[in-house]
Amino acid sequence: QVQLVESGGGSVQAGGSLRLSCAASGSIFSVENTNWYRQAPGLQRELVASMSSRAITYYTDSVEGRFTISRDNAKNTVYLQMNSLKPEDTAVYYCNQQIQISSLDFTVYDYWGQGIQVTVSS
């Protein structure tokens, strides 16, 4: 089994920065896509940023230029650096990784972190 543990959330004033981490543990053969989602109260969960296995990145328009997704393969950890935070960035952030757990099993499984709160005050 694979577990994803998120850390780094908290409260910050507008204009501040936070870095979220998502550490994966367990049986991991390869990581396909890594995604960060967020969900604000009353809204649907939205994709914020993603990185493919070839390190191709995507950002939703509202965070482009402010957020950076990165990955440390040696540590099986993914990061989301969030700069110039705005009150509208307030949400629960979720890490999602699509992982192949064995060289003998080509299935790519979907794993989610527990979610971590980010609160930005004006």
Side-chain angles (χ1 to χ4, degrees):
Q1 285 292 340
V2 173
Q3 286 190 323
L4 303 184
V5 178
E6 300 164 8
S7 61
S11 297
V12 65
Q13 289 192 329
S17 298
L18 286 172
R19 188 177 79 157
L20 303 182
S21 300
C22 173
S25 62
S27 177
I28 300 171
F29 175 71
S30 68
V31 178
E32 298 301 317
N33 295 315
T34 297
N35 308 300
W36 285 98
Y37 286 81
R38 68 185 179 188
Q39 187 167 19
L43 299 180
Q44 289 189 334
R45 189 174 297 189
E46 67 167 340
L47 178 62
V48 175
S50 65
M51 176 180 281
S52 72
S53 58
R54 298 185 178 185
I56 297 171
T57 58
Y58 161 84
Y59 299 95
T60 193
D61 287 346
S62 61
V63 308
E64 181 79 54
R66 300 188 297 120
F67 289 13
T68 303
I69 187 171
S70 61
R71 184 168 61 214
D72 184 333
N73 291 325
K75 296 181 178 179
N76 282 333
T77 300
V78 177
Y79 305 96
L80 184 67
Q81 178 67 43
M82 305 185 294
N83 298 328
S84 303
L85 283 161
K86 304 176 180 180
E88 50 264 42
D89 295 317
T90 296
V92 177
Y93 284 71
Y94 297 89
C95 173
N96 165 244
Q97 295 197 38
Q98 294 159 350
I99 296 172
Q100 182 179 344
I101 62 174
S102 167
S103 61
L104 302 177
D105 180 359
F106 292 102
T107 305
V108 175
Y109 296 91
D110 227 18
Y111 295 95
W112 290 85
Q114 78 280 10
I116 193 162
Q117 179 69 45
V118 170
T119 302
V120 184
S121 58
S122 57

